[in-house]
Amino acid sequence: MKITIEEQADYTLVTLIGSLDTATAIEADSILKPITEGEGKDIVFECEQLEYIASSGLRILLDVLKKTKAKGHKVVLRNVNDDIKNVFNITGFINLFEFE
């Protein structure tokens, strides 16, 4: 799993590459934690190269969503492939997130 974070003018761009699973969840959580602290801003997850997501990965994204929404901002998942979108659909998370 590779995660890059780029601050844009109006939002934070987080690019996810590889698999967000149990083996990578602890590291991903520690990398993503700082973007939810402080005043915050909208967060866009670029998922074009995200190959797999497990329940532990969904939990991390949900945590980011809750903290971001509490500050009045939104989380967008961009370029999610059909297999991963199906995981969001099956778990009911499809209704919680905004997709582009």
Side-chain angles (χ1 to χ4, degrees):
M1 171 101 257
K2 181 178 178 188
I3 300 173
T4 61
I5 299 172
E6 298 174 48
E7 293 297 330
Q8 306 294 321
D10 297 336
Y11 63 93
T12 300
L13 177 64
V14 179
T15 302
L16 304 174
I17 301 170
S19 296
L20 186 51
D21 55 21
T22 305
T24 60
I26 293 172
E27 181 182 3
D29 191 41
S30 67
I31 292 169
L32 296 174
K33 186 168 267 182
I35 67 171
T36 60
E37 297 173 352
E39 270 186 49
K41 55 175 134 176
D42 292 350
I43 299 172
V44 176
F45 283 95
E46 174 54 62
C47 301
E48 186 173 19
Q49 297 179 62
L50 181 63
E51 299 166 356
Y52 175 80
I53 190 165
S55 59
S56 53
L58 290 172
R59 180 192 54 77
I60 290 168
L61 293 181
L62 183 60
D63 186 52
V64 169
L65 177 69
K66 286 180 181 179
K67 290 176 179 175
T68 303
K69 281 185 125 179
K71 295 177 182 176
H73 299 287
K74 66 181 179 176
V75 173
V76 176
L77 302 178
R78 183 186 292 166
N79 297 317
V80 177
N81 72 40
D82 290 341
D83 290 336
I84 292 175
K85 197 174 256 189
N86 191 40
V87 172
F88 278 85
N89 193 33
I90 289 169
T91 59
F93 281 36
I94 195 91
N95 299 318
L96 301 176
F97 289 89
E98 186 176 323
F99 292 84
E100 285 183 355

